[in-house]
Amino acid sequence: MPAIREIQVTVDCADPVRLAAFWCEVLGYVLPEAPEGYGSWAEYGRAVPREEQPGYFACSDPTGAGPRLLFQRVPEGKVVKNRVHIDVRAGKGLVGDERLATLQAEQARLEALGAVHLYTQLADDENESCVTMQDIEGNEFCLD
């Protein structure tokens, strides 16, 4: 059996286009081109009734290294903690105060985009610092 070398991460949500745009800002991903006749997905979203918009929306890593993210509209809201979450590797390779400062700077950038800080786990004898946040629809993710 051949090994699978490519994955897609799928996230249930209320507004696929809006959430995809948020994650593009977080990760440096790109959206597909807007439909013909529209200058942007935001313009499309304002012009087309929600029920006529696609029930899913994807964004991708322009380098091809990261997984594609697919956001699919579901009728129910989020009610419990995620079983799977995204780790944004903002402090990879850094330790101590330098790592914490880097994570806090990224936290501030993401809060300006609408993310919410939940808590910060400070470094101890076993683990380095990590910041837990929520995206604009309440999905947990970590800055590590």
Side-chain angles (χ1 to χ4, degrees), residues 8 15-16 22 58 93 102 107 128 135 138 144:
Q8 169 176 283
D15 188 339
F22 169 83
T102 298
Q107 172 190 329
E128 283 295 331
D135 70 16
D144 78 353

Side-chain angles (χ1 to χ4, degrees), residues 10-29:
T10 302
V11 178
D12 292 349
C13 64
D15 188 339
V17 174
R18 182 171 173 255
L19 194 55
F22 169 83
W23 280 102
C24 282
E25 290 293 325
V26 172
L27 301 173
Y29 274 33

